[in-house]
Amino acid sequence: MARIIVVTSGKGGVGKTTTSAAISMGLALQGHRTAVVDFDIGLRNLDLIMGCERRVVYDFVNVINQEATLNQALIRDKRNENLHILPASQTRDKDALTKEGVERVLNELSETFDYIVCDSPAGIERGAHLAMYFADDAVVVTNPEVSSVRDSDRMLGLLASKSRRAELGQDPIKEYLLLTRYSPQRVKLGEMLSVEDVQEILALHLLGVIPESKAVLNASNSGTPVILDEKSDAGQAYMDVIRRYLGEHVPHRFIEQERKGLFGRLFGS
Ligand SMILES: Nc1ncnc2c1ncn2[C@@H]1O[C@H](COP(=O)(O)OP(=O)(O)OP(=O)(O)O)[C@@H](O)[C@H]1O
Ligand SMILES: [Mg+2]
């Protein structure tokens, strides 16, 4: 039985796909057989960030419509054999995903994988609803700004009431907060909410804080999940997230503004 993780948010463009790519690769790096599924029908961002867009032949909707088998559609990552990608379709038909179809695909994936990471589209429409409906865990990606926090709060309501676990009266989906694009400098200037501010509003278990980082854009331009950039701050922060998710105690980093050394204080701007 696989554990199903949905990477979700209320507001769009906060870093879900970046996070889905990073945590699925991170779990694979830790030896777990992992599938990452793109629920963002019509957009197909995940395969670009994973660097496998030219290898897409069949997609999620083809499997749901039984035009291809799961095996035909799954793309095996070239860097890590534990990781497989199920790309989204470019169809304009947002209703192409059905609850029965999604359930069948997730059940089949569950037979061979330890973790299934679902990259949700933004908002609360069908794709987003189906991405979270079958989840065991939810990573709620939030930026440190009021509109993102407010929309995350709305998403928490849906996770608690509109999931399979809620309908069957099972234990609720485990919710984790992931703060992304965090800039301690801007928090200090009062331009962004602090970690404490966000936690006070959402009252969620903090899985990690990913700093605002140029490494993310470089990584996505080269089709590499940023977690493989071990020297980068964002890559290290995502690796910490994986270790925490898997139960290790790892202190949070990248929350405080970096102190300049003596040299920096004397000569820096
Ligand atoms: N930690 C970060 N530092 C800098 N830029 C980031 C960071 N995380 C994400 N970004 C940038 O933010 C933009 C949106 O990221 P991404 O596509 O992952 O968001 P999304 O939530 O999946 O968006 P959508 O809701 O459209 O699916 C991208 O340009 C990405 O490079
Ligand atoms: Mg996305």
Side-chain angles (χ1 to χ4, degrees), residues 74-224:
L74 278 177
I75 300 173
R76 182 167 146 186
D77 189 88
K78 283 193 170 156
R79 296 152 295 208
N80 191 307
E81 62 174 16
N82 290 325
L83 181 60
H84 286 71
I85 299 121
L86 183 58
S89 119
Q90 269 177 323
T91 168
R92 280 162 194 272
D93 180 11
K94 297 261 176 197
D95 293 333
L97 296 183
T98 60
K99 197 183 252 182
E100 298 68 35
V102 169
E103 182 170 28
R104 187 169 48 77
V105 172
L106 292 178
N107 282 344
E108 200 177 333
L109 286 170
S110 266
E111 288 168 17
T112 32
F113 291 95
D114 304 319
Y115 290 99
I116 303 170
V117 178
C118 302
D119 180 19
S120 174
I124 51 171
E125 282 166 31
R126 195 184 185 87
H129 174 61
L130 287 174
M132 61 101 157
Y133 183 76
F134 298 100
D136 300 304
D137 298 324
V139 175
V140 181
V141 180
T142 308
N143 290 165
E145 49 170 49
V146 172
S147 63
S148 174
V149 173
R150 191 187 51 211
D151 290 355
S152 289
D153 205 19
R154 258 186 227 149
M155 187 49 68
L156 292 178
L158 296 178
L159 288 168
S161 59
K162 294 212 158 192
S163 63
R164 175 168 63 176
R165 283 176 170 272
E167 282 179 10
L168 298 179
Q170 297 172 337
D171 289 342
I173 295 176
K174 254 196 182 165
E175 300 158 340
Y176 299 93
L177 171 64
L178 185 71
L179 257 186
T180 60
R181 310 199 69 165
Y182 196 75
S183 161
Q185 288 87 338
R186 295 191 59 192
V187 172
K188 207 164 176 205
L189 291 170
E191 297 172 358
M192 276 186 172
L193 300 175
S194 67
V195 178
E196 293 78 24
D197 293 336
V198 178
Q199 272 189 294
E200 203 166 292
I201 304 170
L202 293 178
L204 279 185
H205 178 76
L206 182 66
L207 188 58
V209 178
I210 312 297
E212 171 75 24
S213 169
K214 288 199 183 77
V216 171
L217 188 63
N218 292 340
S220 75
N221 283 340
S222 65
T224 315

Side-chain angles (χ1 to χ4, degrees), residues 38-54:
D38 190 349
F39 276 76
D40 207 346
I41 302 302
L43 279 178
R44 272 189 54 183
N45 267 333
L46 181 69
D47 50 272
L48 288 172
I49 292 188
M50 299 297 302
C52 65
E53 73 278 6
R54 283 190 298 272

Side-chain angles (χ1 to χ4, degrees), residues 8 34 60 71 93 113 118 157-158 213 228 230 256:
T8 186
T34 305
F60 194 9
N71 258 327
D93 180 11
F113 291 95
C118 302
L158 296 178
S213 169
L228 291 175
E230 291 163 18
E256 305 292 338

